[in-house]
Amino acid sequence: MFACVPTRHDRTSRSSRPSRASGIKQPHSPPPPRGGRFRIAGSDLSASITVFLLAVPMSLGLAVAMGAPLEAGLISAAIGGIVAGLLGGTPLQVSGPSAGLTVVTAELIQIYGWRTTCAITIGAGLLQILLGSLRAARSALAVSPAIVHGTLAGIGVAIALAQLHIVLGGSPQSSAVANALALPDQLGRVSPAAPLIGLLTIAVLVLWPRIPGRIGRGLRRAPTALAAVVTATAVAAVAAPGIARVDLPSWRSHVLPELPQGPVLALATAMFTMMLVASLESLLAAVAVDKLSAASSASAPPAPPPGPAAQPAAPPSAATASAGPPPSAAPALPARRADLDRELRAQGIANVLSGLVGGLAVSGGAVRSSANVRAGARTRAATVLHGVWVLLATGLLVTVLEWIPLAALAALVMMVGIQMVSLAHIRNVHKHREFLVYGATITGVILFGVLKGVAIGIAVAVAVALHRLARTGITVTDQGGLHLVVVRGQLTFLAVPRLSRTLGQLPQDGSVVVELDGFFMDHAAYEAIQDWSNAQTAHGGKVVFTGRSGGRIAEPTSAADSCCRPWTPWRNHHCHDAPALLPAAPAPPQDTDAGPPEDAAPRTVPSACPAPTPPPDQGQDSAGGPAPGFRHSTGPMPVPHTAPRTAAHTGPGPRTDPRAGHSAGSRSEASGAGAAPGPRHGTGGHRLISGLSSFQRHTAPLVRDELARLAAEGQRPSQLFITCADSRLVTSMITASGPGDLFTVRNIGNLVPPPNADSGDHSVGAAIEYAVDVLKVESITICGHSGCGAMQALLGAGPEAEHPPTSLWRWLRHGLPSLKRMSSRHHAWARISGRLPTDALEQLCLTNVVQQLDHLRQHPSVARRLTEGTLRLHGMYFHVGEAQAYLLTEGASSGLDPDEVFDRVDPAEPAGPTGSDERERTGV
């Protein structure tokens, strides 16, 4: 058994992947095994029944909303389920009549009639087949999300206004504007039966998912739409026998498509509009279903215990996304990534067949598809069976369906339209400053129709993008003889006149720092800045170009070859080339005919070797050179300081070998063993010797004076850092620390045995006592990490399992209290601020940090220092894959607050001995 090893989920190595030339298409994950026949699992059968009960009232309601024959809705639901289900690239997506096509289809029926609309549906399907064959599906997703969501929201508003008339007992008008203007007159002649049935349907739709208790859990197994329609039908049968109901005509009167008649351009526009809306809705739903099915392919984590401390329930989407497999369970069947081109071709074939037999246009639906996934569907059998059940109901349940009131179906579709105006989407587009595009699209769809609304949204989106590209803010600040020029935004030729005028007003012999905060610079702006920089330098001035974080922008090649790496911020860790060897004047400009790269900044090499853009806590000294390093700080994490160097590196060091990667000094932790980076070839001994040689060659000359000082003065670390022995956790890198900063204890699972633990390993207790009583550290941090193999082993074995009498399990038993804490009803679940833990393993890794802090407080030396107020405890979680650190809130780590939340460390937080209020709160 291995502890703290990377958790791999069905990933193949690169060496085992077939080459691109082999013609084998790589899926998102390994495909499930193919059998020789169509297999139906029990979960697929139950899911198909659930989706069938949802699809029948939805199909009838949409047919009513479009003004189409009611049997056409059932036909399209059956064809969408069977044909698109068999041929589609998203096995769990359920296709059928769509709310997004309601407005388009209703308008076409009013203009051309039903039979011509069926022919238009066939043409739209042929266009979808053509686009799918040309592999254009991914390109369709390049449309701005603000336009897509604005289009769907506009369609939702139009649907709601039209169905409101039917709920009130009337008939809808030809457009959304006409429906809004006719609403006062409709309210004046309303009859009570239809509105009451509509209100009853809406009430059931809203309240059904919120029924509490054990009875509610049982009732919620039935689809909400089915419950609302059945309730309204039963009440109407008793209280309003004369209300308008569903009228399914005889199949003998069913009509088939005819050759379209009308202007060719108008018919082509209609086909394109139907194809556009159907394709966008299907592809967006396919992407959403892909994410849902990938999350649901793993089992859900153990449910939190009931009680006041239990974690609040999450919405269905979040709960599904956070599901993860229990380590003891067999690996779940991996979900396949959606093949969007195949899905688009399948939607086209389904539309062609639906139009040929007189059905509505078909597209993938997010509502039915999400219900299919959450009902437990695993293969496309659930989708196909749902279509079979709809087909059988069309022939066998006509009498039952004719009892449904039209007002109930209208209320159901009206709620679907209202839900298409998503507040979450509005907040998202507002956060990304695209609400103007969203508002223009929804207004255009409501006033002028879908196609014109989309065109208006695209035009506004282009105008906004051009405005942002041309908008550049330039400010000048005089800081005691040093002029700071801040350029915010992209530098294009439109900003050159104002930029040149601003730079020309600066003293020619002064010192100027130009901060460029943008990612694009065209050739005109590059030449203007380069010419000014050359002239300024020629007159004796000094020019330094920096980015937003303060790091200098310099010659990329020389910086890569000769300067410090951003993850080796040791104290007095200077660049490998001495400043004397670098040119004092700016480097000559490159060939102006060739021009700079798109995102290049002016290439000026200052008199000191510029470091690459440092992390936010790795600043620069007052002279503009690299940060002098780190000293022993008073907080739990090392912080930079700007005092003069105490042991400057005299004399040039050897030039870095580009093939050696970063210096081996950055891997001095036990996790790296000083091995030089690069491909993993050769024996471990060879890598060790190579790394040691690299250290002696590159890093030792730079840190020898600092290490000599530490050897003479002794160690005075400010923090005890207890973390896991996982090789991926490099403490000096993630804490930006160097020699003498951290007193580090590493063990399997970052465990802290209680002081009274019998027959335990006392090395951790000895280290704690030595650090607290002898070294007088000011803080102790316990750091857990993602994908911890020790926690995975505990989670797989369980708290009551018999463990083998090995050294590993004798050590891991100190983690059993963490496992019990996670399943206890007396403790709230530790969680990450802003999201739920991804799976049970991450939940245990977080809980283990909190539990080990409790063990740490039981040590007498720690308890004494905490009482005196001279020691602080901190909990930390490091997500390896995201390179993101999270810190436990101070109240939870000190035992003052039961709320156990790990807050994300913001890279923009200032570094310093005191820090901001937020830094004090989280303990950074």
Side-chain angles (χ1 to χ4, degrees):
M1 180 175 296
F2 296 91
C4 294
V5 296
T7 54
R8 306 181 185 272
H9 301 286
D10 301 315
R11 296 182 182 176
T12 57
S13 63
R14 295 188 178 184
S15 60
S16 63
R17 298 176 184 173
S19 63
R20 190 181 293 260
S22 64
I24 300 177
K25 184 177 180 180
Q26 289 295 322
H28 179 67
S29 57
R34 296 184 178 180
R37 54 184 179 178
F38 191 74
R39 299 180 179 179
I40 301 176
S43 59
D44 290 331
L45 181 61
S46 61
S48 69
I49 296 175
T50 301
V51 180
F52 158 71
L53 296 176
L54 173 65
V56 169
M58 286 285 294
S59 302
L60 293 174
L62 291 173
V64 171
M66 298 176 189
L70 298 184
E71 70 273 12
L74 299 176
I75 291 174
S76 60
I79 292 178
I82 298 174
V83 177
L86 282 174
L87 305 178
T90 312
L92 301 186
Q93 175 162 276
V94 181
S95 301
S98 169
L101 290 167
T102 302
V103 177
V104 177
T105 307
E107 184 178 1
L108 293 178
I109 291 175
Q110 290 183 355
I111 296 175
Y112 299 107
W114 171 243
R115 300 184 67 182
T116 302
T117 301
C118 292
I120 293 174
T121 301
I122 298 173
L126 294 175
L127 287 177
Q128 286 181 308
I129 297 174
L130 175 63
L131 291 178
S133 302
L134 296 176
R135 301 187 178 276
R138 289 286 174 184
S139 302
L141 298 179
V143 181
S144 170
I147 298 175
V148 175
H149 295 313
T151 302
L152 295 178
I155 293 173
V157 171
I159 291 173
L161 288 174
Q163 297 312 295
L164 182 58
H165 282 273
I166 299 179
V167 171
L168 296 176
S171 300
Q173 305 299 315
S174 58
S175 66
V177 176
N179 283 321
L181 295 177
L183 194 57
D185 181 64
Q186 181 64 51
L187 291 173
R189 49 189 177 85
V190 65
S191 57
L196 290 177
I197 294 299
L199 288 175
L200 176 63
T201 306
I202 295 173
V204 176
L205 288 173
V206 173
L207 299 177
W208 188 265
R210 295 173 173 82
I211 300 177
R214 183 178 302 175
I215 297 178
R217 287 195 297 269
L219 293 177
R220 284 195 298 269
R221 295 180 180 177
T224 305
L226 177 66
V229 171
V230 169
T231 303
T233 302
V235 173
V238 177
I243 196 172
R245 303 178 187 275
V246 169
D247 182 15
L248 287 174
S250 171
W251 285 106
R252 296 177 181 177
S253 60
H254 184 69
V255 295
L256 298 177
E258 64 179 2
L259 290 175
Q261 298 178 358
V264 176
L265 182 60
L267 291 173
T269 303
M271 292 179 185
F272 179 79
T273 303
M274 180 174 288
M275 179 274 301
L276 177 66
V277 177
S279 300
L280 281 178
E281 190 169 15
S282 298
L283 295 177
L284 290 174
V287 173
V289 172
D290 194 15
K291 296 177 181 178
L292 281 176
S293 59
S296 65
S297 63
S299 310
Q311 183 170 335
S317 59
T320 306
S322 64
S328 59
L333 191 66
R336 299 188 67 182
R337 188 175 184 178
D339 187 341
L340 297 184
D341 294 305
R342 177 181 175 182
E343 181 65 33
L344 189 58
R345 292 193 298 269
Q347 295 291 333
I349 295 173
N351 274 318
V352 170
L353 294 179
S354 181
L356 285 174
V357 297
L360 294 172
V362 171
S363 73
V367 176
R368 292 184 294 262
S369 301
S370 60
N372 188 38
V373 174
R374 293 191 176 103
R378 286 293 176 265
T379 66
R380 63 178 73 246
T383 305
V384 176
L385 283 177
H386 130 269
V388 173
W389 306 144
V390 173
L391 189 62
L392 293 177
T394 303
L396 303 178
L397 299 180
V398 174
T399 305
V400 176
L401 297 178
E402 288 181 341
W403 280 92
I404 301 175
L406 291 179
L409 296 178
L412 173 63
V413 177
M414 184 178 71
M415 290 298 293
V416 173
I418 293 174
Q419 291 171 357
M420 292 174 70
V421 186
S422 173
L423 294 179
H425 292 157
I426 294 176
R427 286 194 296 267
N428 195 31
V429 298
H430 184 269
K431 179 177 65 176
H432 292 87
R433 297 184 301 170
E434 291 189 345
F435 186 77
L436 180 61
V437 179
Y438 180 88
T441 306
I442 188 175
T443 304
V445 170
I446 293 174
L447 296 180
F448 307 109
V450 175
L451 192 60
K452 293 180 180 178
V454 172
I456 292 173
I458 293 175
V460 173
V462 172
V464 170
L466 291 176
H467 173 72
R468 290 176 179 173
L469 185 63
R471 182 182 180 183
T472 306
I474 305 173
T475 59
V476 180
T477 306
D478 188 355
Q479 300 178 346
L482 177 66
H483 297 273
L484 175 63
V485 181
V486 180
V487 182
R488 298 276 189 255
Q490 318 317 318
L491 279 174
T492 64
F493 65 94
L494 299 174
V496 168
R498 188 155 55 98
L499 178 63
S500 300
R501 183 171 59 253
T502 302
L503 296 177
Q505 295 173 354
L506 299 175
Q508 292 185 346
D509 57 350
S511 297
V512 182
V513 176
V514 181
E515 179 181 321
L516 302 176
D517 180 17
F519 60 86
F520 177 79
M521 178 189 300
D522 68 1
H523 189 74
Y526 173 81
E527 284 194 344
I529 292 180
Q530 188 68 41
D531 293 342
W532 169 82
S533 175
N534 293 336
Q536 187 81 1
T537 306
H539 286 83
K542 296 181 180 180
V543 180
V544 175
F545 293 95
T546 70
R548 186 172 187 177
S549 62
R552 294 191 176 196
I553 300 175
E555 191 76 38
T557 303
S558 62
D561 288 347
S562 62
C563 293
C564 305
R565 300 302 188 262
W567 51 79
T568 56
W570 283 13
R571 184 176 180 182
N572 296 330
H573 194 154
H574 306 294
C575 300
H576 301 308
D577 285 307
L581 299 180
L582 296 177
Q590 60 184 7
D591 185 5
T592 55
D593 294 334
E598 289 185 351
D599 58 349
R603 306 196 313 172
T604 302
V605 180
S607 59
C609 177
T613 303
D617 59 351
Q618 185 185 344
Q620 293 178 326
D621 62 9
S622 58
F630 298 89
R631 64 179 178 182
H632 303 313
S633 63
T634 56
M637 296 295 178
V639 295
H641 72 108
T642 56
R645 298 184 178 96
T646 58
H649 173 55
T650 58
R655 190 175 184 88
T656 303
D657 184 0
R659 296 168 297 178
H662 65 78
S663 67
S666 65
R667 298 174 60 89
S668 63
E669 292 285 334
S671 59
R680 291 176 172 263
H681 56 80
T683 63
H686 175 75
R687 290 197 299 267
L688 175 63
I689 296 174
S690 175
L692 292 174
S693 299
S694 179
F695 170 80
Q696 296 300 143
R697 182 171 61 253
H698 299 304
T699 308
L702 304 178
V703 299
R704 184 169 289 117
D705 293 336
E706 176 66 13
L707 291 178
R709 184 188 66 81
L710 290 173
E713 298 177 359
Q715 62 169 331
R716 289 177 296 180
S718 62
Q719 179 180 189
L720 169 60
F721 199 83
I722 304 175
T723 187
C724 186
D726 192 295
S727 61
R728 299 165 297 175
L729 212 62
V730 184
T731 58
S732 61
M733 179 178 68
I734 65 177
T735 61
S737 59
D741 288 324
L742 300 181
F743 188 73
T744 306
V745 174
R746 305 188 68 149
N747 62 61
I748 294 178
N750 48 274
L751 302 178
V752 179
N756 58 350
D758 54 343
S759 65
D761 188 329
H762 298 287
S763 63
V764 177
I768 294 172
E769 184 177 345
Y770 182 79
V772 173
D773 291 339
V774 179
L775 299 178
K776 303 295 183 183
V777 296
E778 298 165 350
S779 64
I780 304 177
T781 298
I782 297 180
C783 175
H785 68 96
S786 61
C788 181
M791 298 301 103
Q792 192 171 22
L794 287 172
L795 200 61
E800 305 298 335
E802 291 292 335
H803 306 305
T806 62
S807 298
L808 177 60
W809 274 110
R810 279 195 295 269
W811 171 255
L812 288 180
R813 63 187 176 84
H814 298 300
L816 292 177
S818 301
L819 193 61
K820 294 178 181 178
R821 184 188 188 103
M822 190 177 73
S823 59
S824 171
R825 67 178 61 191
H826 303 293
H827 297 280
W829 274 22
R831 58 194 186 276
I832 293 181
S833 178
R835 67 172 177 85
L836 293 173
T838 56
D839 52 21
L841 176 58
E842 184 172 59
Q843 181 67 68
L844 182 57
C845 293
L846 297 172
T847 304
N848 183 59
V849 173
V850 179
Q851 181 63 38
Q852 301 311 314
L853 283 170
D854 286 349
H855 291 174
L856 184 61
R857 296 187 191 97
Q858 298 175 21
H859 286 259
S861 56
V862 174
R864 185 183 66 256
R865 290 280 303 277
L866 287 176
T867 304
E868 296 171 356
T870 59
L871 183 67
R872 298 176 64 186
L873 305 185
H874 304 278
M876 175 179 169
Y877 175 75
F878 186 75
H879 194 290
V880 178
E882 298 174 357
Q884 178 63 53
Y886 299 85
L887 287 173
L888 188 63
T889 53
E890 185 177 0
S893 62
S894 61
L896 302 178
D897 190 343
D899 190 24
E900 298 166 0
V901 180
F902 286 79
D903 285 338
R904 179 188 181 98
V905 177
D906 188 356
E909 289 184 3
T914 56
S916 63
D917 294 339
E918 176 68 15
R919 183 173 289 269
E920 288 293 331
R921 184 179 70 83
T922 57
V924 178

